[in-house]
Amino acid sequence: MIGFVRNVRLWFAPEVVRQEGTTPDYRFSLANERTFLAWLRTALALIGGGFAVDQFLPDLGRGWRIGLALALLAAGVLCSLRAVNHWMRCERAMRRGEDLPVSRFPALLSVVIAVVAVAMVVVVLVGWEG
């Protein structure tokens, strides 16, 4: 838990991260930043999808609508937090000359999206009456 709190502090102190190790090839830092931005775009898409389910499917049963919307919104929140944490961890690893960190998050996010997609298929096949 202490490591996580330290990581969160580093999110807002990039100058501290820059003091570690040596500056990596700028191409790697820029690739890390592009990956970060891709994760943020994914987070925004998930959040938008959550709002779309809630706002544009009023005939869907309340439980289905809120459940699907909350699942997408939560995935978007987690994705945005994971983006900054992974960016910082990769930047630190590159500066230290370490292996890049691994994460189970992409697999977890994929499973959540697949479950929501299956639920949406069920909703479409069964109908809107829920």
Side-chain angles (χ1 to χ4, degrees):
M1 185 66 170
I2 293 172
F4 178 75
V5 172
R6 182 171 186 268
N7 281 346
V8 170
R9 286 184 186 161
L10 289 175
W11 295 358
F12 302 100
E15 65 279 358
V16 174
V17 175
R18 289 190 75 179
Q19 293 172 358
E20 291 189 40
T22 59
T23 302
D25 185 331
Y26 72 91
R27 293 173 292 183
F28 298 122
S29 291
L30 292 174
N32 190 28
E33 186 173 327
R34 284 191 302 274
T35 302
F36 167 73
L37 294 172
W39 279 103
L40 287 183
R41 285 190 300 273
T42 301
L44 286 171
L46 289 166
I47 292 168
F51 278 117
V53 165
D54 185 53
Q55 294 299 309
F56 298 118
L57 300 176
D59 295 335
L60 185 62
R62 178 173 165 76
W64 276 101
R65 191 179 77 235
I66 289 177
L68 293 172
L70 287 178
L72 289 168
L73 290 168
V77 168
L78 290 174
C79 193
S80 66
L81 294 174
R82 189 266 184 197
V84 69
N85 190 55
H86 191 71
W87 170 83
M88 189 270 313
R89 290 175 57 215
C90 286
E91 190 67 25
R92 288 179 74 201
M94 287 188 299
R95 291 182 158 279
R96 293 174 173 175
E98 300 172 351
D99 289 339
L100 294 179
V102 295
S103 175
R104 291 183 188 99
F105 186 79
L108 174 66
L109 182 62
S110 297
V111 169
V112 168
I113 292 172
V115 168
V116 171
V118 167
M120 290 300 293
V121 166
V122 169
V123 167
V124 169
L125 291 176
V126 172
W128 297 110
E129 300 305 319

